[in-house]
Amino acid sequence: MIDVILKKGKEKSLLRRHPWIYDTAVQKTLGCAQPGETVRVVSADGRPLGLGAYSPSSTLRVRMWSFDASVDVDDSLFLRRRIEAAIEAREALLSRTNARRLIFGEADGIPGLIVDDYDGWLVTQFQSAGAERRRDEIVSILMDAAQAKGIFDRSDAATRSREGLKPHVGVLAGKEAPQLIEVVEDGVRYGVDVRVGHKTGFYIDQRESRLAAQRIAADFLERTGRGLRALNCFCYTGGFSLALMKGGAQEVVSVDSSAEALARAQANAALNGFDDARMQWVEADVFGCLRKMREEGQTFDLVILDPPKFASSHYHVERAARAYKDINLNGMRLLRTGGRLLTFSCSGAIDVDLFQKIVAGAVFDAGRTAWAVERFGAGSDHPLLMTYPEGEYLKGLDLLMRD
Ligand code: SAH
């Protein structure tokens, strides 16, 4: 096995069990390791620190399989145990949904591997040289351990090119998934297109926030005797819109710039038998739409802002912060006193503290007073591995407008 020797002092993060080694931390590699090949990581003073997958073309040079160099990580049993443990940890969710993330990369000890399950149809993303190298092994274990109907690969994310990997989309095993897979989450039905949808087809990570939206709508109805009027910005295939309708919203206006996403959202509403007359679908740019609605004097009981990732890296944080502030400011301007703003950011480069500051800035500029009555994050199938804070990317706030 090839040794990767670290520079002096660069073993510290590894000793804290952080799974990444950057190219800048490597002093030398004793041999020519293939993409994804297992290497032994050694400190400058010769101490073995563990085993990881080598990625020669990535700045993320090694992703750790184990912090114990004596474990046989190349044995199939090693992978099987990790995969089985990951699947078992998500079993309890089945009582609420058949759309779950089964494997969340680093958090599950399989760096770079994403596996989502839609009613027994698995969708994979191999985002590291290490996961890619062991693809066939992973696929065969998954078919068996998850009792999968089929496995469809959506390894078309931009992150693959950084690992020197070409995009790949298509069936890997079992039967070919239907054009639309129907899933049910907390009583709401969604059609998921795993071939062309965002991520693997659905924003599985927003489950808890969708349920919160459903509850807020239901509480509102119970308290006031009328259904709330809501605005869902960046609605995609209707996730939050349908959750609100399920909770008893009177009227939901949904905005997205993608006609295809809106068509899918409308079809999803029909799938649930929701009253078409109470749902408006607006194809527009949210930034302009919020301003226009304010000029028109529109008001809402609840506004949802769940935009795409505005900051793709640390270099874009400032520009992204301005964009987040803009939509939050203009979104809350449409809220009456007592109204609620559910606001999210899925930019990993913007942490919980910064997001809170941005939203606080918007509250101040709007001249309002607001309470954060709840905080949101990804569901339990996207657990945060405590030694790997990079795994936390999704955050959200439920703001109650006090005046
Ligand atoms: N809230 C969704 C996920 C949002 S994904 C859910 O829970 O499922 C982001 C969505 O924003 C995409 O559908 C994309 O088409 C849309 N989008 C991106 N930029 C936009 C803009 N400036 N105005 C309106 N929609 C936009």
Side-chain angles (χ1 to χ4, degrees):
M1 194 178 288
I2 290 170
D3 277 357
V4 171
I5 318 280
L6 299 185
K7 290 179 185 161
K8 193 161 172 265
K10 293 296 184 188
E11 71 284 356
K12 283 194 192 121
S13 64
L14 230 68
L15 293 172
R16 288 196 302 266
R17 293 183 161 241
H18 188 274
W20 289 350
I21 297 167
Y22 283 100
D23 54 347
T24 50
V26 175
Q27 188 188 47
K28 61 181 172 213
T29 301
L30 305 181
C32 180
Q34 295 301 304
E37 188 177 329
T38 301
V39 293
R40 193 166 73 130
V41 180
V42 181
S43 68
D45 59 8
R47 258 192 310 162
L49 300 168
L51 304 168
Y54 193 73
S55 187
S57 54
S58 175
T59 51
L60 249 171
R61 192 52 45 90
V62 183
R63 301 200 203 200
M64 300 304 288
W65 287 118
S66 168
F67 299 96
D68 176 351
S70 69
V71 172
D72 186 3
V73 300
D74 287 329
D75 186 341
S76 218
L77 208 59
F78 173 82
L79 270 182
R80 178 174 273 276
R81 283 207 191 97
R82 293 224 164 147
I83 290 172
E84 284 176 352
I87 292 171
E88 198 197 322
R90 276 79 172 178
E91 238 148 54
L93 277 173
L94 278 173
S95 62
R96 284 176 58 193
T97 181
N98 55 3
R100 302 168 302 154
R101 173 147 295 184
L102 286 189
I103 298 181
F104 185 37
E106 276 72 354
D108 285 294
I110 311 178
L113 178 66
I114 299 297
V115 182
D116 289 340
D117 173 14
Y118 299 104
D119 191 32
W121 299 99
L122 304 193
V123 186
T124 49
Q125 291 183 322
F126 294 84
Q127 295 175 341
S128 66
E132 176 76 13
R133 188 179 172 93
R134 303 184 75 170
R135 192 176 83 174
D136 294 348
E137 219 180 326
I138 289 169
V139 165
S140 115
I141 296 169
L142 277 172
M143 279 302 286
D144 180 51
Q147 295 287 299
K149 297 173 189 166
I151 301 183
F152 192 83
D153 192 27
R154 275 295 302 277
S155 293
D156 53 356
T159 41
R160 253 174 88 92
S161 65
R162 281 185 241 146
E163 295 276 318
L165 303 169
K166 290 199 184 70
H168 178 263
V169 174
V171 177
L172 289 179
K175 285 188 264 177
E176 175 153 12
Q179 210 57 47
L180 273 182
I181 301 172
E182 198 183 306
V183 299
V184 186
E185 177 195 274
D186 295 319
V188 184
R189 296 158 77 183
Y190 300 92
V192 177
D193 184 342
V194 299
R195 285 174 185 75
V196 297
H198 290 185
K199 304 218 272 185
T200 60
F202 187 59
Y203 286 83
I204 296 181
D205 54 359
Q206 285 286 34
R207 180 189 309 113
E208 300 309 323
S209 307
R210 280 189 290 266
L211 182 61
Q214 198 182 129
R215 285 204 183 116
I216 290 169
D219 289 348
F220 190 94
L221 181 59
E222 202 184 297
R223 236 176 345 104
T224 65
R226 68 173 179 101
L228 53 68
R229 177 166 198 258
L231 172 66
N232 179 17
C233 297
F234 310 97
C235 71
Y236 187 49
T237 54
F240 283 105
S241 309
L242 305 193
L244 289 166
M245 288 299 286
K246 178 81 184 172
Q250 175 55 36
E251 191 187 348
V252 181
V253 180
S254 308
V255 185
D256 201 285
S257 55
S258 156
E260 297 87 64
L262 286 166
R264 180 76 258 131
Q266 244 177 310
N268 281 339
L271 190 66
N272 288 275
F274 292 141
D275 182 358
D276 213 29
R278 283 161 49 201
M279 307 193 79
Q280 267 184 63
W281 307 99
V282 182
E283 184 184 336
D285 169 50
V286 165
F287 291 84
C289 188
L290 292 173
R291 287 179 167 77
K292 186 164 149 272
M293 285 177 159
R294 187 174 182 225
E295 280 160 21
E296 292 166 354
Q298 296 211 42
T299 57
F300 295 91
D301 302 304
L302 180 142
V303 170
I304 295 181
L305 300 169
D306 182 26
K309 187 157 72 175
F310 284 157
S312 49
S313 79
H314 289 282
Y315 302 109
H316 304 113
V317 165
E318 223 171 286
R319 198 181 60 199
R322 280 197 295 275
Y324 283 117
K325 181 157 172 196
D326 188 87
I327 54 171
N328 278 279
L329 174 60
N330 290 308
M332 69 181 72
R333 280 177 168 157
L334 301 175
L335 285 167
R336 57 165 187 80
T337 297
R340 302 280 272 269
L341 179 72
L342 304 193
T343 180
F344 302 91
S345 162
C346 61
S347 302
I350 292 190
D351 64 18
V352 177
D353 275 0
L354 178 55
F355 184 60
Q356 199 169 306
K357 283 196 185 101
I358 294 166
V359 177
V363 173
F364 180 79
D365 284 9
R368 307 284 293 262
T369 307
W371 280 349
V373 291
E374 201 178 337
R375 284 145 214 267
F376 303 115
S380 61
D381 48 350
H382 297 65
L384 169 65
L385 177 68
M386 295 308 286
T387 50
Y388 173 66
E390 291 86 346
E392 185 173 37
Y393 63 99
L394 180 61
K395 57 248 143 214
L397 293 169
D398 173 359
L399 289 196
L400 169 64
M401 306 312 292
R402 297 283 291 160
D403 61 25

